[in-house]
């Protein structure tokens, strides 16, 4: 496929069937499990044990053995990567050199979240292209609710996800691993609008604090195209926003290819900047002022990263809104 060309009709059809089929199987599996539990006490007991185990392991989650072959070769993922033309922009020299050093470790902060963050699960298989030395030691923070759902939990673990809590994040970094973090989280997800480049970042400083506490450099990242893969509705926005704020559960009303769960065929390009490091005056205990200063520098770096790459990915007429 030529660079920048739309995916073929055959690729789009395959993506439509495989992505929607996968999601329907996952959610159908949840409903089937509940139904079986209602009619069969033994299955209900087994499901209860699974849920208890999932709850315990979720809170104690940390670095685990990723199912790399699954992420790399499962047909629906391969089709979706072609559908979204997922790729990395050329990495800056400073990042390439840092990644090649023994013990290299980073916090990759990616924005924006997008409606469904499909790029996150799909990029697991191509991390080796950008980070050949550390790709098996890169984990992604994911919403806690994902680790409570049968099948979804396994899918998340196999593709390198860990629970998005501070203790887990610190545990992962303490073992010499790297993290992919989406600072905007659910708030950024629910505010997604197709054709609008906006990130929810002004009040998101936890990842900066984490980096300063653990003395791990932060790599700013921007995913062009992630906000364009779904048509978004503002219906019941205030109600959904309240649910998101109180319970941490985002309910995006989105429509993709032919109005389904399959993303629109918009090219997703992941761009990374140079590593950024800050050392607090007192090791491991950054002050509010130090965190605020580092955060301002990060936001400025993200803005410059966006401006540097937007024309090359066909978004030259857009401006980045940071809220």
């Amino acid at each position: 496929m030529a660079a920048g060309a739309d995916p073929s009709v055959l690729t789009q059809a395959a993506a439509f069937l495989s992505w929607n089929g996968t999601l329907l199987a996952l959610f159908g599996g949840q409903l089937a499990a509940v139904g079986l539990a209602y009619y069969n006490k033994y299955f209900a007991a087994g499901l209860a044990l699974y849920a208890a185990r999932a709850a315990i392991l979720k809170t104690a989650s940390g670095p685990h053995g990723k199912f790399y072959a699954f992420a790399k070769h499962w047909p629906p993922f391969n089709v979706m990567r072609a559908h979204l033309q997922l790729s990395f922009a050329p990495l800056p020299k400073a990042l390439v050199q840092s990644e090649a050093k023994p013990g290299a470790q980073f916090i990759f902060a990616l924005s924006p979240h997008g409606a469904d963050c499909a790029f996150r699960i799909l990029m697991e298989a191509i991390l080796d292209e950008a980070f050949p030395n550390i790709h098996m030691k890169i984990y992604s923070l994911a919403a806690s609710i994902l680790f409570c759902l049968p099948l979804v939990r396994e899918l998340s673990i196999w593709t390198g996800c860990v629970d998005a809590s501070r203790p887990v994040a610190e545990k992962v970094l303490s073992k010499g691993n790297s993290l992919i973090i989406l600072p905007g989280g659910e708030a950024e997800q629910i505010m997604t609008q197709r054709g609008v480049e906006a990130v929810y970042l002004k009040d998101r400083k936890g990842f900066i604090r984490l980096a300063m506490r653990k003395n791990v450099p932060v790599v700013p990242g921007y995913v062009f195209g992630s906000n364009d893969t779904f048509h978004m509705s503002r219906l019941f926005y205030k109600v959904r926003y309240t649910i998101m704020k109180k319970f941490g559960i985002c309910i995006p009303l989105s429509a993709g290819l032919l109005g389904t769960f399959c993303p629109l065929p918009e090219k997703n390009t992941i761009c990374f900047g140079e590593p950024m490091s800050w050392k607090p005056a007192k090791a491991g205990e950054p002050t509010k002022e130090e965190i605020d200063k580092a955060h301002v520098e990060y936001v400025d770096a993200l803005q410059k990263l966006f401006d540097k790459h937007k024309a090359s990915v066909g978004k030259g007429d857009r401006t980045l809104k940071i809220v």
Side-chain angles (χ1 to χ4, degrees), residues 36-303:
L36 285 172
Y38 180 79
Y39 288 105
N40 188 305
K41 63 180 181 181
Y42 298 107
F43 186 85
L47 188 62
L49 287 174
Y50 174 92
R53 177 178 177 273
I56 294 171
L57 292 182
K58 175 183 74 65
T59 56
S61 185
H64 51 72
K66 300 194 286 185
F67 195 170
Y68 182 67
F70 171 77
K72 190 79 171 177
H73 301 296
W74 199 46
F77 286 175
N78 291 332
V79 169
M80 283 304 299
R81 277 188 286 271
H83 178 67
L84 296 177
Q85 302 176 68
L86 183 67
S87 64
F88 293 107
L91 302 184
K93 184 177 179 180
L95 179 55
V96 174
Q97 292 176 337
S98 296
E99 194 268 345
K101 295 178 181 178
Q105 187 179 23
F106 307 98
I107 291 177
F108 299 98
L110 286 176
S111 301
H113 188 290
D116 72 344
C117 192
F119 68 85
R120 205 305 305 162
I121 193 172
L122 297 174
M123 71 184 286
E124 173 66 22
I126 59 173
L127 284 174
D128 59 335
E129 299 175 10
F131 308 106
N133 299 295
I134 64 169
H135 70 98
M136 288 302 292
K137 299 186 70 176
I138 300 176
Y139 293 86
S140 299
L141 296 188
S144 300
I145 186 63
L146 299 181
F147 298 92
C148 298
L149 303 174
L151 302 181
V152 175
R153 175 179 180 275
E154 280 65 39
L155 185 64
S156 300
I157 291 175
W158 292 345
T159 54
C161 293
V162 294
D163 181 43
S165 65
R166 182 185 299 175
V168 171
E170 292 189 347
K171 181 178 179 181
V172 171
L173 293 176
S174 294
K175 292 183 177 294
N177 299 286
S178 296
L179 275 177
I180 294 173
I181 296 178
L182 279 67
E186 293 93 349
E188 191 170 88
Q189 181 181 15
I190 201 169
M191 64 174 272
T192 298
Q193 295 182 61
R194 187 164 192 259
V196 177
E197 306 292 347
V199 296
Y200 188 83
L201 197 58
K202 285 186 178 180
D203 296 323
R204 295 300 173 108
K205 303 176 183 180
F207 70 105
I208 297 292
R209 180 177 184 274
L210 175 66
M212 297 180 76
R213 277 176 48 83
K214 293 297 182 180
N215 193 28
V216 175
V218 174
V219 178
Y222 198 87
V223 186
F224 287 94
S226 65
N227 275 358
D228 296 327
T229 53
F230 285 91
H231 298 286
M232 305 297 293
S233 172
R234 302 285 289 182
L235 187 65
F236 303 124
Y237 181 81
K238 290 185 177 180
V239 174
R240 292 185 288 117
Y241 186 83
T242 299
I243 293 174
M244 183 273 298
K245 290 290 288 184
K246 288 189 174 182
F247 304 105
I249 299 175
C250 182
I251 309 174
L253 296 183
S254 56
L257 189 62
L258 299 180
T260 67
F261 298 116
C262 179
L264 297 166
E266 292 285 345
K267 180 176 174 57
N268 278 209
T269 306
I270 305 170
C271 304
F272 286 113
E274 297 185 355
M276 307 177 70
S277 298
W278 306 277
K279 290 187 178 181
K282 188 174 182 180
E285 296 183 23
T287 64
K288 180 181 183 302
E289 291 73 22
E290 290 173 327
I291 293 173
D292 289 345
K293 182 176 182 295
H295 184 264
V296 169
E297 293 176 4
Y298 173 82
V299 171
D300 181 62
L302 183 65
Q303 179 69 65

